[in-house]
Amino acid sequence: SCQNYRAKDPTSFDDGGFYQMNEDRWRNKGGVAGKEEAGRERLRSYHAATADGLAGLLLTGAPPKDPRVLAAVRWLERHPGFDDVPHLQLYCAFARGRARRLAPTLLPGRAGETWPAGVVLKPRSDGSFLNPAGELRENDPLVATALALMA
């Protein structure tokens, strides 16, 4: 229900990505995308929610060729960076890595690739990770490093 997807009546808002919560623009980290012609507010898809949504589809038995699965994969391919929600960069890496492990043929990576091309998340001199954007505790090296290692 949190996927911007309509098979029969696609709109510019239906990009195949996911957002966090239905009808809750305050907790949806991607923000508001706009309003449909009918006046209904639509929420913007973002990386972490889309990677989580893809994993959810796969874990609940959706086959790799399911249109919703393919729409989420296309969204992730079109949005390779993690900068759409700056305070979720390490969580995005974790969520995308989990989705990639569930469907390696859908989200292939290069040998030895940790992050998608263009994403730079480097450890600090002591080996820990840190994201200075701290709304979701990625500014805590314990949280940030755990997410980076799971990614």
Side-chain angles (χ1 to χ4, degrees), residues 56-69:
L57 288 170
L58 295 167
L59 287 167
T60 55
K65 294 194 183 224
D66 182 282
R68 289 181 172 272
V69 168

Side-chain angles (χ1 to χ4, degrees), residues 4 11 26-27 29 32 40 42-43 47 49 51 53-54 63 75-76 88 90 95 100 105 108 119 123 136 148:
N4 284 318
T11 69
W26 302 110
R27 288 193 286 182
K29 293 172 184 46
V32 175
R40 181 176 155 234
R42 296 292 298 270
L43 300 174
H47 203 108
L54 173 59
W75 191 95
L76 290 169
L88 282 175
L90 292 160
R100 194 160 124 200
T105 59
V119 174
L136 295 170

Side-chain angles (χ1 to χ4, degrees), residues 6-79:
R6 288 187 198 153
K8 294 183 180 182
D9 184 25
T11 69
S12 61
F13 297 110
D14 294 312
D15 58 11
F18 283 77
Y19 53 90
Q20 183 178 357
M21 296 188 156
N22 264 327
E23 310 301 326
D24 189 345
R25 68 184 181 129
W26 302 110
R27 288 193 286 182
N28 181 56
K29 293 172 184 46
V32 175
K35 289 190 178 192
E36 294 178 317
E37 287 182 28
R40 181 176 155 234
E41 192 171 71
R42 296 292 298 270
L43 300 174
R44 186 171 69 89
S45 302
Y46 63 99
H47 203 108
T50 301
D52 282 341
L54 173 59
L57 288 170
L58 295 167
L59 287 167
T60 55
K65 294 194 183 224
D66 182 282
R68 289 181 172 272
V69 168
L70 295 175
V73 169
R74 281 192 299 275
W75 191 95
L76 290 169
E77 289 170 344
R78 288 190 313 270
H79 302 87

Side-chain angles (χ1 to χ4, degrees), residues 128-150:
S128 68
F129 282 78
L130 188 72
N131 178 358
E135 183 178 337
L136 295 170
R137 299 200 178 261
E138 287 194 9
N139 63 341
D140 178 337
L142 183 62
V143 172
T145 303
L147 287 170
L149 289 173
M150 288 187 295

Side-chain angles (χ1 to χ4, degrees), residues 76-143:
L76 290 169
E77 289 170 344
R78 288 190 313 270
H79 302 87
F82 298 156
D83 56 352
D84 57 346
V85 181
H87 54 266
L88 282 175
Q89 289 191 349
L90 292 160
Y91 184 82
C92 286
F94 159 71
R96 185 183 179 102
R98 178 181 51 205
R100 194 160 124 200
R101 285 187 296 280
L102 290 168
T105 59
L106 293 175
L107 288 172
R110 292 182 213 103
E113 176 183 70
T114 305
W115 321 111
V119 174
V120 179
L121 299 172
K122 294 183 178 182
R124 299 183 321 163
S125 61
D126 66 357
S128 68
F129 282 78
L130 188 72
N131 178 358
E135 183 178 337
L136 295 170
R137 299 200 178 261
E138 287 194 9
N139 63 341
D140 178 337
L142 183 62
V143 172

